[in-house]
């Protein structure tokens, strides 16, 4: 059956239900959001003379949830206007409307009996073949529908989103006993390709994969703290990035999740498992129960393991003393193992350095880690079929740098197992048999291919065509050219990929040199070029430290040379006679945007935060950013015979205020991306889609030519400068801000030429460079650059 999901229905408009509906809207799928009918009128409804029979009252919960989506920050929507794709309703009046949808997602209260009652009601209006899923975080999928017909069970499964659905990568698919394989396969494919999720297939066991192991790890950590007398801040110092975990570590994570929610998840396991020792592990400590009684349930209550308090001139975060149950000032945590781990880079090396220590913090790390590793090994086969699914679930769902089995490899499988056995711990038989067979790790990498331990053998990790790993290609000797800043990699099929790998992917001379060399190499031996990487961020701009040092030394010829080199390289990229596709993701700022602009097409990850932010450091874009956007305005206005001044005014505001998009879709709305640029929801598929875009361009490619650009001239500049003056009078910008944006207005207007003058690209590039150089010499600009480098945020001086 050729399935498609065109419309959906979400049942339950709480935080998760509404956010799932929002993410469906993100990919263009309209949904019906249903909830129960209120039992009482609000004061406002009474004042408006409404009754319990009024439609807006009956739809109140869903309508309120939809309105809240517009105000939530960070936004669950790529663009707040997408909220129009969600329609409110209620279960009593509108349940039969699910006949018109292709997917029904239940997100009601986590109570088995209530869910069972709902599914009996739903089945009476359900159309055979419609997929139904539950978003439960741990209740048995099979138990929910045990009394329903097989036809319903065939199309029923679990789809466990992690919160918030837009941003969290993990989605657990949990097939039921009777779920048709083609239904599970379709949902896995849909959630990966359309929703952009990392999907793992889990067994129908309490809390599935990620929450089972994650909850175990948190309880082990909590018990270790209580037994050994560690403080909250000591535990978080150990169990954050040094252990390969997020900065929120253990107790900030618990505060974010909600201690009441965590207790519910832990209790679900203790009540459902049959093994008495496992039940005891998941029993909730008295400390957590007392905190719930006190109302200290985390961030949503204003206090949990941490409390933010307002002092006279600042905010302070206090930590809970778990012995006295009083909040106190945090003590600085210092230890030789912690300091050693901080000095090295990479999660594997940090972890090894931490465990190699000889203090109480390295002991704490080992005591937590060994139990999590052993538990993960014990649960293989019960909660998931492979170590890959367990590792992916923990990386994607709990933001661990390494999954349990990847961690085991990193610290040394044989040596760590030997240490565990010396300490009297029971190691699962399959792990000992694996080591006895002569294996030193759970994963094996050879010639760029990865193998994993499965039923006593190494098996090749299945390749996914849409997932292109630059790291794997480099291990397969696909590197064509390379220097410290970038590498050119053969993607096959006549397409090469230029990858940045400088610190923070900042653009310096080495990257610019590699772009020029890549152009020559592709000209001789390839059909097209894509510019992409798989770093944390695509590119946060030019090398600001180098620029500041040259400016402080007043090496103006050198600054001029650097900017001219950048401009010329971007111009060569734009005029290259073969297709160029750029593929940004996450932070793409300043020079990162300017690298994307010369390309024939942008293929962006949906989570791309894109913007020309140079005014924040006292400068203006000078790598062709101003020129390229003015050129685009000129071209579009010429085609539509419209006045370009309003469009230039909007550009002036966008660049002058250093606006950064909240998504790739928002970047289109701001005018940074064109409507013809592509947006890819799954970040792992971006390079594949960029390659496909380049291949499509090859046969019909027409190189870009030198352009003549219409500008608004001195009259248009006056309009922009007037706007800046009014903002200064209103107190919105400083004197230095006004100086910066006046220079920006000069560039965007094309200088002091008459309105409507046609100018060359080089003319505008020269204006950019002149303005940039003059601002580099300003003491307040240098202060802004210094502040950004030391504080990581803009200075408004």
């Amino acid at each position: 059956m050729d399935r498609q999901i065109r419309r959906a229905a979400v049942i339950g408009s709480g935080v998760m239900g509404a956010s799932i509906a929002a993410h469906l809207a993100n990919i263009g799928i309209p949904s019906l959001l249903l909830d129960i009918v209120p039992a009482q009128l609000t004061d406002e409804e009474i004042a408006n003379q409404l009754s319990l029979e009024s439609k807006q009252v009956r739809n109140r919960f869903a309508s309120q949830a939809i309105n809240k989506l517009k105000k939530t920050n960070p936004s669950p929507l790529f663009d707040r206007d997408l909220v129009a794709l969600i329609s409110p309703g209620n279960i009593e009046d509108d349940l039969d409307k699910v006949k018109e949808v292709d997917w029904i997602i239940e997100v009601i209260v986590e109570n088995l009996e209530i869910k069972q009652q709902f599914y009996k009601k739903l089945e009476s209006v359900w159309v055979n073949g419609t997929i139904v899923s539950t978003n439960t975080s741990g209740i048995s999928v099979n138990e929910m529908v045990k009394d329903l017909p097989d036809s319903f069970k065939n199309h029923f499964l679990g789809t466990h989103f992690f919160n918030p659905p837009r941003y969290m990568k993990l989605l657990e698919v949990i097939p039921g006993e009777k779920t048709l394989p083609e239904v599970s396969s379709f949902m896995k494919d849909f959630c990966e390709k359309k929703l952009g999720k990392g999907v793992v297939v889990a067994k129908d066991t309490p809390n599935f994969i990620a929450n089972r192991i994650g909850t175990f790890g948190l309880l082990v950590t909590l018990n270790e703290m209580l037994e050994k007398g560690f403080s909250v801040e000591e535990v978080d110092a150990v169990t954050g990035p040094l252990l390969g975990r997020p900065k929120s570590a253990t107790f900030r994570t618990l505060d974010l999740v909600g201690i009441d929610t965590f207790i519910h998840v832990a209790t679900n396991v203790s009540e459902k498992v049959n093994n008495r020792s496992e039940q005891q592990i998941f029993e909730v400590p008295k400390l957590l129960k007392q905190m719930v009684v006190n109302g200290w349930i985390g961030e949503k209550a204003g206090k949990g393991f941490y409390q933010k308090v307002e002092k006279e001139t600042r905010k302070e975060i206090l930590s809970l003393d778990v012995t006295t149950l009083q909040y106190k000032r945090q003590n600085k945590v210092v230890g030789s193992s912690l300091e050693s781990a901080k000095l090295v880079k990479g999660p594997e090396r940090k972890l090894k350095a931490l465990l190699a220590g000889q203090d109480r913090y390295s002991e704490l790390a080992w005591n937590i880690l060994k139990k999590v590793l052993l538990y993960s090994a014990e649960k293989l086969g019960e909660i998931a079929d492979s170590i890959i699914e367990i590792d992916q679930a923990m990386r994607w769902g709990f933001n661990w740098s390494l999954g349990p089995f990847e961690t085991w490899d990193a610290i040394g499988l044989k040596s760590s197992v030997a240490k565990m056995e010396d300490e009297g711990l029971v190691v699962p038989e399959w792990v000992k048999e694996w080591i006895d067979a002569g294996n030193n790790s759970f994963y094996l990498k050879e010639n760029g291919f990865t193998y994993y331990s499965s039923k006593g053998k190494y098996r090749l990790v299945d390749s996914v065509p849409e997932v292109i790993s630059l790291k794997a290609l480099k291990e397969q000797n696909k590197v064509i050219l390379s220097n410290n800043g970038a590498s050119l990699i053969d993607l096959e099929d006549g397409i090469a990929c230029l990858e940045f790998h400088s610190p923070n992917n900042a653009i310096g001379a080495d990257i610019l040199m590699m772009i020029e060399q890549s152009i020559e190499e592709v000209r001789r031996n390839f059909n097209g070029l894509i510019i992409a990487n798989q770093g944390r961020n695509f590119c946060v701009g030019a090398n600001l430290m180098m620029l500041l040092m040259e400016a402080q030394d007043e090496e103006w010829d050198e600054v001029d040379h650097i900017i001219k080199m950048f401009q010329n390289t971007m111009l060569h990229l734009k005029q290259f006679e073969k297709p160029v596709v750029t593929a940004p993701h996450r932070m793409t700022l300043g020079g990162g945007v300017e690298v994307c602009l010369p390309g024939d097409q942008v293929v962006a990850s949906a989570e791309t935060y894109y913007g020309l932010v140079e005014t924040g450091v006292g400068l203006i874009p000078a790598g062709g950013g101003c020129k390229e956007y003015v050129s685009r305005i000129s071209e579009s206005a010429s085609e539509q015979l419209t006045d370009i001044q309003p469009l230039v005014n909007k550009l002036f505001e966008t660049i002058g205020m250093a606006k950064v998009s909240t998504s790739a879709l928002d970047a289109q709305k701001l005018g940074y991306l064109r409507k013809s640029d592509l947006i890819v929801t799954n970040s792992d598929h971006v390079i594949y889609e960029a390659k496909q875009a380049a291949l499509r361009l090859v046969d019909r490619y027409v190189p870009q030519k030198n352009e003549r650009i219409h500008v608004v001239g001195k009259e248009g500049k006056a309009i922009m400068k007037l706007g800046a003056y009014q903002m200064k009078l209103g107190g919105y910008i400083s004197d230095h801000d006004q100086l910066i944006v006046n220079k920006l207005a000069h560039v965007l207007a094309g200088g002091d030429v008459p309105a409507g003058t046609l100018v060359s690209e080089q003319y505008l590039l020269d204006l950019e460079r002149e303005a940039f150089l003059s601002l580099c010499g300003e003491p307040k600009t240098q202060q802004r650059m210094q502040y950004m480098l030391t504080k990581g945020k803009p200075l408004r001086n």
Side-chain angles (χ1 to χ4, degrees), residues 44 153 262 305 394:
E44 185 180 353
K153 294 176 183 175
F262 176 77
F305 283 98
M394 299 317 297

Side-chain angles (χ1 to χ4, degrees), residues 461-698:
V461 174
D462 291 337
S463 62
V464 179
E466 292 84 4
V467 178
I468 294 176
S469 167
L470 297 181
K471 182 180 179 182
L473 289 173
K474 287 191 281 189
E475 290 169 354
Q476 294 168 28
N477 298 316
K478 297 287 187 180
V479 176
I480 308 157
L481 301 168
S482 186
N483 65 19
N484 289 334
S487 296
L488 187 68
I489 302 166
D490 186 356
L491 296 187
E492 300 184 340
D493 302 316
I495 305 299
C497 175
L498 178 63
E499 174 205 33
F500 298 169
H501 46 65
S502 63
N504 299 316
N505 286 347
I507 299 168
D510 46 6
I511 285 181
L512 296 175
M513 189 182 304
M514 186 52 62
I515 292 174
E516 294 283 10
Q517 291 176 3
S518 296
I519 289 171
E520 290 305 313
E521 178 66 26
V522 172
R523 176 175 286 128
R524 289 192 300 266
N525 297 313
F526 291 86
N527 298 323
L529 173 68
I530 72 170
I531 300 177
N533 65 70
Q534 292 172 323
R536 176 169 173 76
N537 297 303
F538 176 77
C539 177
V540 295
N543 188 329
L544 194 60
M545 174 65 80
M546 177 188 67
L547 191 62
L548 176 60
M549 289 170 63
E550 299 290 359
Q552 287 176 335
D553 291 342
E554 298 185 359
E555 295 287 351
W556 305 122
D557 288 344
E558 186 60 30
V559 175
D560 185 60
H561 171 72
I562 293 168
I563 302 309
K564 201 164 192 174
M565 183 181 178
F566 196 150
Q567 290 181 341
N568 289 342
T569 302
M570 295 306 103
L571 205 55
H572 296 161
L573 201 57
K574 180 177 181 179
Q575 295 169 355
F576 185 39
E577 65 270 18
K578 294 189 177 182
V580 176
V581 174
T582 55
H585 65 278
R586 291 184 58 84
M587 300 299 286
T588 303
L589 305 175
V593 172
E594 291 176 310
V595 165
C596 293
L597 290 175
D600 300 287
Q601 187 166 31
V602 174
V603 176
S605 167
E607 297 296 346
T608 298
Y609 317 123
Y610 201 84
L612 292 171
V613 296
E614 285 83 353
T615 58
V617 289
L619 299 167
I620 68 154
C626 295
K627 177 268 296 182
E628 194 59 37
Y629 280 119
V630 171
S631 172
R632 290 183 183 184
I633 287 172
S634 172
E635 184 181 355
S636 69
S638 296
E639 290 171 358
Q640 300 170 27
L641 300 176
T642 56
D643 178 15
I644 66 172
Q645 184 70 55
L647 299 175
V648 175
N649 292 346
K650 182 183 176 184
L651 177 63
F652 175 64
E653 179 185 329
T654 301
I655 299 177
M657 295 181 69
K659 290 184 179 180
V660 177
S661 72
T662 56
S663 67
L665 192 64
D666 187 44
Q668 283 185 328
K669 194 171 183 179
L670 287 171
Y672 280 134
L673 293 180
R674 297 162 294 201
K675 295 298 181 185
S676 58
D677 292 327
L678 299 181
I679 297 174
V680 180
T681 315
N682 192 318
S683 59
D684 292 338
H685 297 180
V686 170
I687 292 179
Y688 170 83
E689 295 296 346
K691 178 183 173 183
Q692 301 312 304
L695 288 170
R696 288 192 295 270
L697 286 169
V698 168

